[in-house]
Amino acid sequence: MSNIIVVFPKKEIATNIRNILVRSGFDVLAVTTTGAQALHYVDTLDDGVIVCGYRLSDMMYSDIRDYLPDSFQLLLIASADKWGDGLEEGVVGLPMPIKVYDLVNTLEMILQTMRRRRKKRREALKNRDPKQREIINQAKGLLMERNGMTEEEAHRYLQKNSMDTGTSMIETAQMILTIMSE
């Protein structure tokens, strides 16, 4: 499933882009007018794509990118002179005026790249050795015991912290064991 969030300061523009994407076969999770609303949705997801304009009512596209975990991509739709100097990592740009064909193909390319990354992560999870699995299970057990989490919530907590800090799940589990054992 693709987690697509459309963010533009004008609701009509955001709705039009959502309609184009839906007609092209994409599932759009949310349409918002502020970066804060978009980031609220991001907090509940593992990965996805934000389609946005250059300037929103509460922040710039670069501010949103700074708050996004690495598992999210940002598709910037703006005039080429706004990002002619280049874009930072995790941002793909489409020049205005936008062509439906370009929007659909670019988004499909981004989603395909994300699916490949997700598949690699799953394969890496399957290839963990028993010692690494035990460290993760110990950290989950500690989170379940001390914070009253279910196993699924503890696993999600480890995943989210791992993505937010840019560390592996093993390193995150070891940090939790170190911090909570003191």
Side-chain angles (χ1 to χ4, degrees):
M1 184 173 125
S2 56
N3 297 314
I4 300 172
I5 302 168
V6 179
V7 190
F8 283 87
K10 292 185 180 178
K11 186 77 168 176
E12 315 83 61
I13 295 172
T15 303
N16 287 341
I17 289 179
R18 183 212 47 213
N19 292 342
I20 290 169
L21 294 175
V22 169
R23 279 193 303 264
S24 299
F26 295 101
D27 292 326
V28 177
L29 179 71
V31 175
T32 69
T33 57
T34 66
Q37 290 171 327
L39 292 172
H40 173 74
Y41 283 106
V42 166
D43 285 339
T44 63
L45 304 170
D46 290 329
D47 60 12
V49 179
I50 292 185
V51 180
C52 73
Y54 183 76
R55 182 185 310 258
L56 305 170
S57 58
D58 60 343
M59 61 182 72
M60 303 290 285
Y61 85 93
S62 57
D63 297 326
I64 291 177
R65 180 63 231 160
D66 291 343
Y67 290 115
L68 287 180
D70 291 337
S71 59
F72 269 81
Q73 295 289 308
L74 194 135
L75 175 56
L76 172 66
I77 299 174
S79 59
D81 63 322
K82 300 280 188 190
W83 48 274
D85 298 340
L87 296 167
E88 57 189 88
E89 188 176 332
V91 179
V92 176
L94 274 177
M96 292 290 284
I98 191 165
K99 294 179 179 90
V100 173
Y101 176 81
D102 291 340
L103 174 64
V104 169
N105 284 342
T106 302
L107 194 54
E108 185 56 47
M109 177 196 67
I110 292 170
L111 291 172
Q112 210 165 26
T113 302
M114 291 175 72
R115 282 190 288 270
R116 279 196 297 269
R117 283 188 195 150
R118 198 177 305 129
K119 185 177 177 183
K120 282 183 181 178
R121 278 197 309 262
R122 282 193 200 121
E123 288 172 4
L125 291 176
K126 290 178 186 175
N127 296 332
R128 282 201 178 118
D129 65 34
K131 189 176 180 182
Q132 291 174 329
R133 281 192 213 125
E134 181 58 32
I135 292 170
I136 290 172
N137 288 335
Q138 285 175 353
K140 284 195 291 190
L142 200 54
L143 288 168
M144 290 163 44
E145 178 185 319
R146 297 232 179 128
N147 298 346
M149 296 177 170
T150 65
E151 183 175 2
E152 187 177 310
E153 290 170 334
H155 186 79
R156 174 115 169 85
Y157 180 85
L158 282 171
Q159 281 181 323
K160 179 99 173 88
N161 278 340
S162 173
M163 285 189 293
D164 289 347
T165 59
T167 59
S168 69
M169 263 186 74
I170 299 297
E171 292 171 318
T172 303
Q174 288 170 329
M175 286 188 279
I176 287 173
L177 289 173
T178 303
I179 292 169
M180 293 182 96
S181 298
E182 293 175 348

